[in-house]
Protein backbone atom coordinates (compact mmCIF):
# COMPACT_ATOMS: atom_id res chain seq x y z
CA UNK A 1 0.00 0.00 0.00
CA UNK A 2 2.90 2.34 0.78
CA UNK A 3 4.33 1.94 -2.73
CA UNK A 4 0.89 2.59 -4.24
CA UNK A 5 0.65 5.91 -2.41
CA UNK A 6 4.12 6.88 -3.61
CA UNK A 7 3.14 5.99 -7.18
CA UNK A 8 -0.05 8.05 -7.02
CA UNK A 9 1.81 11.08 -5.62
CA UNK A 10 4.48 10.82 -8.31
CA UNK A 11 1.82 10.55 -11.00
CA UNK A 12 0.00 13.60 -9.60
CA UNK A 13 3.31 15.48 -9.52
CA UNK A 14 4.05 14.66 -13.15
CA UNK A 15 0.55 15.67 -14.21
CA UNK A 16 0.94 18.90 -12.25
CA UNK A 17 4.18 19.66 -14.07
CA UNK A 18 2.72 18.85 -17.49
CA UNK A 19 -0.59 20.68 -17.14
CA UNK A 20 0.58 23.30 -14.60
CA UNK A 21 -2.26 22.60 -12.17
CA UNK A 22 -2.38 22.78 -8.36
CA UNK A 23 0.66 25.07 -8.20
CA UNK A 24 3.01 24.34 -5.33
CA UNK A 25 0.66 21.88 -3.59
CA UNK A 26 1.87 18.95 -5.69
CA UNK A 27 5.50 19.83 -4.95
CA UNK A 28 4.80 20.07 -1.22
CA UNK A 29 3.11 16.65 -1.27
CA UNK A 30 6.07 15.17 -3.15
CA UNK A 31 8.55 16.53 -0.59
CA UNK A 32 6.43 15.17 2.27
CA UNK A 33 6.26 11.77 0.57
CA UNK A 34 10.04 11.77 0.10
CA UNK A 35 10.63 12.62 3.78
CA UNK A 36 8.26 9.85 4.90
CA UNK A 37 9.94 7.38 2.53
CA UNK A 38 13.41 8.20 3.88
CA UNK A 39 12.20 8.02 7.49
CA UNK A 40 10.65 4.58 6.89
CA UNK A 41 13.82 3.30 5.25
CA UNK A 42 15.91 4.48 8.20
CA UNK A 43 13.56 3.06 10.84
CA UNK A 44 12.78 -0.21 9.05
CA UNK A 45 14.26 -3.32 10.69
CA UNK A 46 16.81 -4.96 8.42
CA UNK A 47 16.11 -8.56 7.50
Amino acid sequence: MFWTIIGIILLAWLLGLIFEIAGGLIHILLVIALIVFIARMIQAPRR
Side-chain angles (χ1 to χ4, degrees), residues 10-37:
L10 284 175
L11 181 64
W13 176 66
L14 286 174
L15 290 174
L17 283 177
I18 293 170
F19 297 113
E20 297 178 5
I21 54 175
L25 180 63
I26 299 297
H27 299 290
I28 292 170
L29 288 174
L30 182 63
V31 169
I32 291 171
L34 184 62
I35 291 169
V36 170
F37 174 74

Side-chain angles (χ1 to χ4, degrees), residues 2-13:
F2 181 68
W3 291 107
T4 304
I5 293 171
I6 289 177
I8 290 171
I9 290 175
L10 284 175
L11 181 64
W13 176 66

